[in-house]
Amino acid sequence: MKVNIILSKTHEASITDTNILVFLFKKIKHKIEPSVVEVKSYKCDNASINIFIGNLNPLLYSFAKTNIFLADSDIIQKSNMYMLRGIDYVFTKTSFMANHLANFVSKEHIINMGWRSTDLRMSSTEKNFNKYLFFCHNNSDSHIYKKIIQ
């Protein structure tokens, strides 16, 4: 069975989730062939399943029989919710995200997995919550954090 894993290669959490999925597919006894595809592509190989991680691209829906969206609250934007129409199942990591997406997708198609992938940046950082007002978890937003502190 062929599976397209579609992600933004610039988003670290999506890359981590993809690595976990590929590892899990290798552990399964059934022959699953994962193929990693950039979300900005306009085509990909035909597959049984497309798994979109964090971002959606409706141009790729027709390349698989089943389309699954692994929702990430850090990535998905409200302006992109219309793209959920072509998705067969939405997997969420938190119940908050499942409740939020219930406004856009029927509840029968939402599955809350409770999956939390490891944030590799935070695990190596020593946290002192008495010293800081808030903990900045995303280095790409550091310019915003600096403005808030100033």
Side-chain angles (χ1 to χ4, degrees), residues 56 58 61 77-87 104:
L56 295 165
Y61 292 173
Q77 298 174 356
K78 190 173 183 178
S79 61
N80 293 337
M81 292 299 176
Y82 72 93
M83 290 190 239
L84 291 171
R85 288 186 211 130
I87 295 293
F104 304 97

Side-chain angles (χ1 to χ4, degrees), residues 53-113:
I53 300 181
N55 285 316
L56 295 165
N57 183 347
L59 294 175
L60 302 177
Y61 292 173
S62 63
F63 290 95
K65 297 173 188 172
T66 304
N67 290 293
I68 298 172
F69 176 52
L70 178 58
D72 190 339
S73 59
D74 290 342
I75 303 173
I76 189 73
Q77 298 174 356
K78 190 173 183 178
S79 61
N80 293 337
M81 292 299 176
Y82 72 93
M83 290 190 239
L84 291 171
R85 288 186 211 130
I87 295 293
D88 299 307
Y89 299 100
V90 177
F91 292 170
T92 62
K93 296 179 181 182
T94 64
S95 58
F96 170 79
M97 192 66 179
N99 292 335
H100 176 67
L101 291 176
N103 297 325
F104 304 97
V105 180
S106 83
K107 289 187 178 184
E108 295 85 42
H109 297 281
I110 298 174
I111 300 167
N112 180 21
M113 300 185 322

Side-chain angles (χ1 to χ4, degrees), residues 27-150:
K27 292 291 183 185
I28 295 175
K29 291 182 181 180
H30 301 289
K31 187 173 182 179
I32 297 177
E33 301 171 38
S35 174
V36 177
V37 179
E38 172 64 43
V39 73
K40 295 176 185 173
S41 299
Y42 61 92
K43 65 180 182 175
C44 62
D45 294 336
N46 288 326
S48 299
I49 301 172
N50 280 342
I51 301 175
F52 293 87
I53 300 181
N55 285 316
L56 295 165
N57 183 347
L59 294 175
L60 302 177
Y61 292 173
S62 63
F63 290 95
K65 297 173 188 172
T66 304
N67 290 293
I68 298 172
F69 176 52
L70 178 58
D72 190 339
S73 59
D74 290 342
I75 303 173
I76 189 73
Q77 298 174 356
K78 190 173 183 178
S79 61
N80 293 337
M81 292 299 176
Y82 72 93
M83 290 190 239
L84 291 171
R85 288 186 211 130
I87 295 293
D88 299 307
Y89 299 100
V90 177
F91 292 170
T92 62
K93 296 179 181 182
T94 64
S95 58
F96 170 79
M97 192 66 179
N99 292 335
H100 176 67
L101 291 176
N103 297 325
F104 304 97
V105 180
S106 83
K107 289 187 178 184
E108 295 85 42
H109 297 281
I110 298 174
I111 300 167
N112 180 21
M113 300 185 322
W115 175 7
R116 183 180 162 268
S117 56
T118 306
D119 188 341
L120 301 175
R121 292 171 300 172
M122 288 181 66
S123 62
S124 63
T125 305
E126 189 174 321
K127 301 165 193 77
N128 181 352
F129 295 107
N130 294 324
K131 185 176 177 184
Y132 298 100
L133 178 62
F134 63 92
F135 184 76
C136 306
H137 72 283
N138 192 346
N139 288 340
S140 63
D141 294 331
S142 63
H143 64 283
I144 296 171
Y145 299 138
K146 288 177 184 175
K147 287 180 181 180
I148 292 171
I149 292 171
Q150 291 173 355

Side-chain angles (χ1 to χ4, degrees), residues 4-21:
N4 290 327
I5 301 174
I6 303 163
L7 72 146
S8 171
K9 293 181 180 177
T10 59
H11 193 264
E12 193 173 329
S14 295
I15 294 169
T16 302
D17 291 344
T18 299
N19 289 337
I20 292 169
L21 281 175

